Amino acid sequence: ACAEEALGLAIGLLSQYDEERAAQVARLEARVDGYEDALGTYLVKLSGCELSAEQSREVSLYLHCLGDFERICDHAVNVTDSAKELHEKGLSFSPQGRAELDVYTSAVARILNLAVTAFRTREEEPARAVEPLETVIDGLREVLKARHVQRLRTGVCTIEMGFILTDVVTDCERVADHCSNIAARIVGKESEDDHFDAHEFRRNMHDGYVPNFNEMLAQYKLKYYTPLLESQETA
C-alpha cells in the first residue's frame, strides 16, 4: 500500500507540484525502508528455524518481494525529484508529450495495482495479468522515446525536457520490472526455493506458461496504444 501510494503521489506531482505531497513521498519511502529492515531481519532469523515446505516458500516470497517494494518506493522518490526539477525550472511537457506520458503512467499505475493485489491475496489471476501488461509498457516506452525525438527535431521539445522525460520513463519502467518479479514469484510459488530465478520464470510466462497471455496482451495494446494513436492524430 505504501509503494502504491508513493508512486501515485509522485506521478501526480508531474502535473501539479506540491511540497507537502513531495514530502509525503519521502516519508512513505522512509517508512518502507524501516519495514524492509525490520521484517528482513525477522524473516532471515525465521528462515533458520525448522519450517514446513510451505512456510519456507512464504518466507522466501516475503524476503524477495520486500526488496521489490522498497525499490519501487525509491523510483517514486526519483519521479518526485524529476517533478521538482520541472517545477523549479518552470518547465512543462508539450500537450502531446503530456498526453503520452499520462497514458504511460496510467499503465504503470495499473501494473503496480495488479502486483499489490496479487501479493495481498496470493491469487494468480492478477499475477498472471502482470507480464502481458509489462510487455505493453516496454512497447509504450519505445513509442514515447521515438515521439520525443520527432518533437525535438521540429523544435516542439528541448533536449533538457528530453533528459527529464527519459528519467521519468526509465523509473516507471523499473517499477514495472519489479512488479513482474513480484507476480512471477506469486505464480511460481510452488517452485519457490533458493534457486528460483524470477527472470527466467518471467521468460517462460511469455512462452505459453500463462493461459491467455496473447489475449491479455491484445487487450492491453488496445487499451493503451489507442490513446497514443489518437494523440498523434490530434497533434
Side-chain angles (χ1 to χ4, degrees):
C2 289
E4 193 171 6
E5 183 181 356
L7 185 67
L9 286 168
I11 289 172
L13 291 170
L14 292 168
S15 298
Q16 186 173 2
Y17 187 78
D18 177 81
E19 285 289 352
E20 176 52 36
R21 283 185 291 155
Q24 178 64 8
V25 174
R27 288 193 292 269
L28 287 166
E29 190 270 338
R31 185 187 304 173
V32 171
D33 278 349
Y35 290 156
E36 185 192 27
D37 289 342
L39 289 171
T41 299
Y42 172 73
L43 290 168
V44 168
K45 290 180 179 179
L46 193 62
S47 65
C49 301
E50 187 173 339
L51 303 172
S52 68
E54 178 61 28
Q55 288 171 332
S56 293
R57 284 193 292 268
E58 277 292 293
V59 168
S60 182
L61 176 69
Y62 271 105
L63 277 170
H64 286 95
C65 290
L66 275 173
D68 284 305
F69 283 123
E70 189 276 332
R71 289 297 295 139
I72 288 170
C73 284
D74 288 342
H75 291 300
V77 170
N78 291 344
V79 172
T80 299
D81 290 340
S82 294
K84 184 175 183 179
E85 183 178 358
L86 285 171
H87 174 70
E88 291 182 342
K89 294 182 176 179
L91 300 173
S92 60
F93 293 107
S94 66
Q96 185 185 354
R98 176 73 258 176
E100 292 167 2
L101 189 59
D102 284 345
V103 173
Y104 185 74
T105 54
S106 68
V108 174
R110 177 56 180 159
I111 200 173
L112 179 53
N113 177 260
L114 286 169
V116 169
T117 300
F119 181 77
R120 281 176 169 170
T121 64
R122 298 295 195 276
E123 292 178 357
E124 290 195 8
E125 184 177 354
R128 291 180 185 277
V130 165
E131 196 62 25
L133 181 51
E134 196 275 337
T135 300
V136 169
I137 287 171
D138 283 346
L140 293 173
R141 175 198 64 206
E142 296 306 315
V143 172
L144 262 65
K145 289 182 177 179
R147 291 195 178 174
H148 168 70
V149 171
Q150 292 175 0
R151 289 191 292 273
L152 190 62
R153 288 172 176 167
T154 58
V156 175
C157 201
T158 65
I159 293 177
E160 186 173 27
M161 285 299 298
F163 288 143
I164 297 174
L165 176 65
T166 298
D167 286 344
V168 172
V169 169
T170 299
D171 278 303
C172 286
E173 178 196 5
R174 297 292 183 268
V175 168
D177 288 341
H178 288 295
C179 290
S180 287
N181 289 341
I182 294 166
R185 291 190 177 279
I186 299 296
V187 175
K189 60 181 181 295
E190 298 304 323
S191 305
E192 191 74 41
D193 56 41
D194 291 338
H195 305 291
F196 181 82
D197 187 335
H199 298 290
E200 178 64 27
F201 196 83
R202 285 170 57 189
R203 285 192 290 271
N204 293 337
M205 292 169 77
H206 286 258
D207 298 328
Y209 188 91
V210 174
N212 304 319
F213 181 94
N214 290 330
E215 289 85 347
M216 287 189 286
L217 183 65
Q219 290 172 2
Y220 284 132
K221 284 184 176 179
L222 181 63
K223 180 175 182 177
Y224 293 107
Y225 277 109
T226 301
L228 288 188
L229 293 173
E230 290 174 348
S231 72
Q232 182 82 337
E233 291 173 356
T234 58

